[in-house]
Amino acid sequence: MPVSSDVMVETITVSHARRIALAAQGFGKPPDAAVGARQLNLAIDRLGLLQIDSVNVFERSHYLPLFARLGVYDRATLDRLTFARKGRYLEYWAHEAAIIPVESWPLFRWRMENFRRRDAHDDSWASVHAGILDWLRAELAAKGPLAASAVEHDANKRTGPWWGWSDVKSGLEVLFRWGEVVSAGRSRFERVYGLAEHILPAEVVARDVAASDAHKQLVEHAARAHGIATTSDITDYFRLKKVPVTTILRELADEGAVREVTVPGWRQPAWIHRDARSPRRIDAAAILSPFDPVVWHRDRAERLFDFHYRIEIYTPAHKRVFGYYSLPILLDEAIVGRIDLKNDRQAGVLRVQSAWHEPHADPAAVAERLAPVLHRTLEWQGLDAIAFKDRGTLARALATELGVKL
């Protein structure tokens, strides 16, 4: 139902919106003296998911949002929490591939059913290879959780020129999308698969959430995690569909969970969650993953921070502008630059391939604030030194601040 014309809609400045959004994402809080499982769990529950990506030139993406918000923590602790065979978290297609709380898994049954319907036609891979799917179900029932590489079968051979996924891997992924199979941890970052009834608590497997109820819970969580957001932002968080999201936001507004506001320069109305904080300032200094919720929806990053961002890992080297895997630099409520990092684990060196500041940012001031972040990065990664390439508008100022020769 549209808002009545006689209802005054509050206007929020872009600067205020940035502070609300960053506070909702867990930035601006004083760091804890030590970060353990409790802090990690609270941060993941706030976000609702950690996006997974295989690129490991610096560090895998799901580790970075927690480092940005909490500082130095033991990655092995996060591995125990997220990759345990029967733990608090598992993986599913929640945004892209992502780690989510086990309790959230039933909220995606509608997506599992959509995948199953999509695969129902006669010439789909699943229909053509129905025998392999039956065989995989039987293998997992008999042997328990297995990685694709551990499944012995004639079909388990490399066939693709890029990933080389075998029919076994493809079959496991089909069953994973359908929800028959779930993640049962990872080994050397390879996903382990198990039957849902073997891995998940019985009450989670049995929980049947209507698609409308699931969407409402996901929309409410996305609105809370964003703090302030457009309908498109909220839709993107869990990759929903815009039409039901618009309807649900009106329902949530009627219930008092969100309220509609306007932000100058935003083409769409915005929504503030009732739990959103409105701090007067944000004190933050962090490097962000390309798949951090603060920047993963590139249109939102441009609206909030006036920051045009694209990762260039798929761009030919001679066409790259900022670097292979440049990470946004967040200082307080502004994104002030980007830095392309490479973790040379064998040499124990953090290599700064390039560093750039935004036109509005002072390079010396950025370097002064960023240097301690890089020192914490060395500690977190167990590295000994930093090395620079003389590339980018921030490189020299940052190297000087760190006392490193170019």
Side-chain angles (χ1 to χ4, degrees), residues 44 47-54 61-62 82-83 89-102 104-105 108 111 173 176 182-183 186 189 191 236-239 291 293 296:
I44 299 171
L47 300 179
L49 73 172
L50 293 175
Q51 186 173 333
I52 301 170
D53 188 78
S54 61
S61 65
H62 67 283
T82 54
F83 295 147
Y89 304 98
L90 81 171
E91 299 172 31
Y92 193 64
W93 293 97
H95 178 78
E96 295 291 332
I99 295 164
I100 61 172
V102 166
S104 297
W105 184 80
F108 295 96
R111 180 165 286 164
E173 284 295 307
F176 177 78
V182 298
S183 61
R186 282 184 178 246
F189 206 65
R191 184 185 288 150
D236 179 74
Y237 205 85
F238 291 110
R239 296 289 165 89
F291 309 109
W296 68 17

Side-chain angles (χ1 to χ4, degrees), residues 15-180:
S15 179
H16 189 188
R18 283 197 295 267
R19 296 194 299 274
I20 293 171
L22 289 169
Q25 281 284 305
F27 288 98
K29 298 168 62 178
D32 289 337
V35 177
R38 177 179 174 274
Q39 289 84 359
L40 295 172
N41 284 327
L42 287 172
I44 299 171
D45 290 346
R46 174 192 290 272
L47 300 179
L49 73 172
L50 293 175
Q51 186 173 333
I52 301 170
D53 188 78
S54 61
V55 175
N56 196 26
V57 64
F58 166 54
E59 181 54 274
R60 297 195 191 278
S61 65
H62 67 283
Y63 293 108
L64 293 176
L66 300 176
F67 177 60
R69 289 154 177 79
L70 302 175
V72 176
Y73 70 91
D74 183 2
R75 286 165 294 163
T77 300
L78 183 62
D79 290 344
R80 287 192 293 271
L81 293 173
T82 54
F83 295 147
R85 181 156 293 190
K86 292 185 179 182
R88 181 169 175 162
Y89 304 98
L90 81 171
E91 299 172 31
Y92 193 64
W93 293 97
H95 178 78
E96 295 291 332
I99 295 164
I100 61 172
V102 166
E103 290 75 14
S104 297
W105 184 80
L107 301 181
F108 295 96
R109 287 192 189 277
W110 58 272
R111 180 165 286 164
M112 299 169 197
E113 291 304 314
N114 285 350
F115 279 129
R116 190 182 290 273
R117 284 194 294 271
R118 189 192 70 180
D119 293 335
H121 58 88
D122 291 342
D123 60 348
S124 71
W125 189 98
S127 296
V128 171
H129 297 85
I132 289 178
L133 297 181
D134 287 339
W135 182 83
L136 286 169
R137 292 182 182 105
E139 282 288 285
L140 293 174
K143 298 179 180 177
L146 294 167
S149 61
V151 179
E152 295 293 334
H153 191 265
D154 290 343
N156 191 17
K157 60 182 182 295
R158 296 180 69 85
T159 57
W162 185 247
W163 295 109
W165 275 14
S166 65
D167 286 338
V168 164
K169 176 66 175 177
S170 297
L172 289 169
E173 284 295 307
V174 166
L175 295 174
F176 177 78
R177 290 197 300 270
W178 291 357
E180 290 187 42

Side-chain angles (χ1 to χ4, degrees), residues 196-216:
E197 60 266 29
H198 289 179
I199 303 301
L200 298 180
E203 62 271 18
V204 172
V205 176
R207 191 181 305 150
D208 186 14
V209 184
S212 58
D213 293 335
H215 275 75
K216 189 170 185 177

Side-chain angles (χ1 to χ4, degrees), residues 55 57-58 290 298 307-328 337-342 351-358 389-393:
V55 175
V57 64
F58 166 54
R298 309 307 190 208
F307 182 67
H308 181 79
Y309 182 47
R310 301 292 184 273
I311 55 174
E312 298 177 297
I313 55 178
Y314 304 114
T315 303
H318 68 281
K319 293 184 177 181
R320 290 178 194 141
V321 177
F322 296 109
Y324 179 78
Y325 199 64
S326 63
L327 309 174
R338 61 199 89 197
I339 185 166
D340 185 10
L341 297 178
K342 180 177 180 179
R351 300 196 181 278
V352 180
Q353 306 288 77
S354 67
W356 309 80
H357 66 84
E358 290 295 283
K389 286 186 178 179
D390 188 5
R391 181 165 186 258
T393 56

